[in-house]
Amino acid sequence: MKAGPVDASSPLLDVRDLTIAFGDTVRVRDLSFSVREAETVAIVGESGSGKSLTGLALMRLLPRSARIAGGAMAFMGRDLAVIDEPELRRLRGREIAMIFQEPMTSLNPVLTIGAQIAEVVTLHEGLSRSAARRRAIELLDRVRVPDPARRVDDYPHRLSGGMRQRVMIAMAVACGPRLLIADEPTTALDVTIQAQVLDLLDGLRRDLSMGLILVTHDLGVVGQWADRVVVMYAGTKVEEAPPGPVFADPRHPYTAGLLAASPRVGGGRSYRSGPLPEIPGNIASAVDEAGCSFAPRCPHAIASCRLARPPLVRVGEDRVAACPVVNVAEPAP
Amino acid sequence: MAGLRAIGLRNRPAAGTVCRFPEDPGPCLMTTAERIFKSLRRNGLAAIPTVLVIVVLNFFLLKLAPGDAADVMAGESGAATEELMRQLRARFGLDLPVLGQLQAYLGGLAQGSLGFSPRYNMPVTDLILQRLPRTLTLMGFSLSIAIALGLLAGTVMALNAGRWPDRVLSVLTLLLYSVPGFWIGLMLIVLFSIKLGWLPSGGSETIASGRTGFDLFVDRLRHMILPALTLALFYVAVYARLTRAAVMEVAEQDYVRTARAKGLSAFAVGSRHVLRNALLPVTTLAGMHIGGILGGAVVVETVYSWPGLGRLAFEAVLRRDYNVLLGVLLLSSVLVILANMIVDMLQAWLDPRIEVR
């Protein structure tokens, strides 16, 4: 495909109708969203919503049994869904990078962290051994690992979870990528460390003006760090909007349910003041649902919800939602 | 090269350094060299009582068997008198009570002597040292073949899991696994020595050929190929199965995904991230196999008339030459212990998580 002209208005990443399937089972269906330069987009959903699969698909790191069954992922004039392996390898680690949920297992236990960071810059920038090592120390310093000149020769098992995630981040940003995908970067970490790591990611996003995709199930994270929220349920996008409006006025029953079930947002409610509300049922009930995948668990569901998949409609300034029951579609301006 | 550099005492904390990272358990960073040294010291101390127990046990086990060297020698000469037998026994200390013999043996051992062989009429130490290099070469060569072929086959199987190369190699390894070594040895001789005439069927070099230098080396290598292969094939099967499982397990690890996310080629991911981790279980097993290979050497050396320790042990059994047999057994146990030490060192080098306490 031909590289289009890069202008300020065209997004850095434009995902159109992405569909991911395991065999015949569709796990992500017709997902569209875009990420602009220096923008943080949060993809929110519970386990099994397809949010992590989406991140892996962007890197083309899907498990062997999964495949991209349709759609396009336009990134810097290329379609990530179809580019060949050598092209993909040139992009990975240099233009588009990813950090994973499990810092404890995501680093190779038999190589020093310095060697693992140096590997990326040696590969993509052809630095010499000593230059790569110096770069690794700089990067460790940049992600605020204390005493980087000494820690560079450490093995991962000597580091705490938070430190390892910083190493992962250092590796990911080593070549100044245009897009960083963070798949639940703080889920495995202590609460006290979470904010530090997210602050670090946010600072790097600003400094490198890179797009950041934050895959998470934590609405508190979304509220504080995201510019835009994509809410996913059972493989489909059910709502997309800036975080402020989402928290103030959710336009999809699933988003409303998520917010109600979260102790941190929603008006000072805490787990101390009584049991938190929950969304009845589970996500498995969405399998093979012909209509709205949330209908079996939805308090507002009507008969027509179960017949056809509700389309995404514009429900306000810069926001869409896929629920015709609680929204009356506004006419296009 | 990287490994050699890593062994250097880089970043060694000065004595009494306080750890600057309070979340770290235990002492400060231990370098590779320190880890290796620690593993060496621990193993070395444990080896002494082990060897002693082995010697005493072997001694009593051999004394349980009927007959001694004097009986065999008398039988062979066909005309031995009671008087001659008594003289023979007195000369080799065989007339002492069992505990007295043990005492004499251990006393000699403490002075570094393995006793005297009545049969070969020379000190056991000399006899063994004469044979040892041949057996070590054979073992080293066949272990190298086993590991190289095993790793190769295992990796190919893992990369093609479930497809035809995996199936073919699986059947092949199962076959190698189940066929006895002496039979493979005989069949290899039939094929390569008798039918094809490519390789010699026995011995360790062409006798009185007057070869020197490179010619001699090639000649010895040609003699070694068949016995080494015979000894190795069983272990090729073992390592191939093990490598297949290890590679497949490691390939599923999160850090392999991280490596791919960096943009590394499949080869770089495989060699740098997968194989190195998959090697850990293989080295453990290879160390444990040294004893087994020594045992296998008895059969293989007999089949190929290879002048090594295995055949010496075999002959010593037939001739009730217990001093020689004891010496060979003692040396074998020392070899096994040494091999374990080397494996521990290798592991300490390969896996930084191993920190010997």
Side-chain angles (χ1 to χ4, degrees), chain A residues 59 89 92-93 100 105-110 116 119 123-124 129 147 151 153-155 157-158 171, chain B residues 5 10-11 20-21 24 27 29 254-255 257-258 260-265 272-273 277 352-353 355:
Chain A
M59 291 293 283
R89 285 208 304 270
R92 280 179 185 162
F100 301 96
T105 54
S106 292
L107 289 167
N108 189 335
V110 303
Q116 294 185 59
E119 194 174 38
L123 177 71
H124 291 298
R129 222 191 162 86
D147 201 1
R151 288 260 128 166
D153 292 316
D154 247 350
Y155 290 94
H157 72 281
R158 308 288 313 181
M171 255 159 47
Chain B
R5 258 174 11 96
R10 236 172 338 137
N11 299 321
R20 269 173 276 183
F21 303 94
D24 280 353
L29 315 168
D254 288 347
Y255 55 79
R257 189 177 56 187
T258 308
R260 291 173 61 208
K262 287 175 179 175
L264 292 171
S265 65
R272 225 172 122 77
H273 293 272
N277 281 283
R353 286 166 299 183
E355 292 189 1

Side-chain angles (χ1 to χ4, degrees), chain A residues 24-311:
Chain A
D24 292 331
T25 317
V26 173
R27 297 287 295 274
V28 170
R29 187 187 297 277
D30 295 338
L31 176 68
S32 300
F33 67 96
S34 62
V35 182
R36 285 187 287 268
E37 217 164 75
E39 183 187 38
T40 302
V41 172
I43 302 181
V44 187
E46 62 193 280
S47 306
S49 62
K51 56 190 196 304
S52 291
L53 278 181
T54 305
L56 290 171
L58 287 169
M59 291 293 283
R60 290 265 297 274
L61 284 174
L62 287 171
R64 208 177 287 204
S65 48
R67 69 198 158 84
I68 296 171
M73 302 182 285
F75 174 74
M76 295 177 71
R78 304 168 179 87
D79 182 0
L80 294 175
V82 297
I83 56 173
D84 61 2
E85 188 72 22
E87 179 84 27
L88 193 60
R89 285 208 304 270
R90 274 195 294 278
L91 288 179
R92 280 179 185 162
R94 178 157 67 178
E95 307 291 356
I96 172 167
M98 185 163 185
I99 56 179
F100 301 96
Q101 182 173 356
E102 277 295 333
M104 307 311 271
T105 54
S106 292
L107 289 167
N108 189 335
V110 303
L111 297 175
T112 63
I113 58 173
Q116 294 185 59
I117 299 172
E119 194 174 38
V120 195
V121 289
T122 315
L123 177 71
H124 291 298
E125 298 178 13
L127 292 188
S128 71
R129 222 191 162 86
S130 57
R133 185 184 153 84
R134 277 198 302 279
R135 175 73 78 77
I137 295 172
E138 284 167 25
L139 283 161
L140 286 176
D141 193 40
R142 179 66 190 80
V143 296
R144 284 179 243 131
V145 169
D147 201 1
R150 228 176 65 132
R151 288 260 128 166
V152 72
D153 292 316
D154 247 350
Y155 290 94
H157 72 281
R158 308 288 313 181
L159 303 173
S160 65
M163 283 298 148
R164 288 189 214 187
Q165 197 58 293
R166 284 167 196 272
V167 172
M168 286 296 293
I169 294 171
M171 255 159 47
V173 301
C175 298
R178 308 303 315 135
L179 177 67
L180 178 62
I181 304 159
D183 183 8
E184 308 232 13
T186 58
T187 305
L189 303 179
D190 284 347
V191 181
T192 47
I193 311 289
Q194 287 182 1
Q196 293 175 20
V197 168
L198 286 162
D199 268 336
L200 176 65
L201 280 174
D202 201 50
L204 287 164
R205 172 194 59 81
R206 218 174 319 109
D207 293 354
L208 300 169
S209 74
M210 64 184 178
L212 177 61
I213 296 177
L214 207 53
V215 175
T216 182
H217 61 249
D218 188 338
L219 289 168
V221 167
V222 175
Q224 201 170 343
W225 278 280
D227 297 316
R228 221 136 38 77
V229 188
V230 172
V231 182
M232 284 184 74
Y233 182 79
T236 51
K237 179 167 84 174
V238 293
E239 183 164 5
E240 178 179 348
V246 169
F247 289 164
D249 175 25
R251 292 299 189 89
H252 192 280
Y254 177 63
T255 319
L258 269 187
L259 285 168
S262 168
R264 264 179 273 188
V265 280
R269 193 173 45 232
S270 134
Y271 58 88
R272 292 175 200 281
S273 54
L276 290 164
E278 55 178 304
I279 305 175
N282 65 64
I283 201 162
S285 58
V287 175
D288 298 330
E289 190 64 34
C292 173
S293 48
F294 190 58
R297 302 170 74 183
C298 183
H300 305 288
I302 55 174
S304 66
C305 289
R306 295 183 179 258
L307 297 177
R309 223 167 263 282

Side-chain angles (χ1 to χ4, degrees), chain B residues 52 55 59 96 99-116 123-125 323 326-327 330:
Chain B
L52 211 61
V55 168
F59 183 85
L96 294 171
L99 282 181
Q101 289 184 35
L102 176 64
Q103 197 186 357
Y105 188 77
L106 289 178
L109 205 57
Q111 294 166 33
S113 157
L114 292 175
F116 193 84
V124 174
T125 316
N323 273 352
L326 270 177
L330 171 65

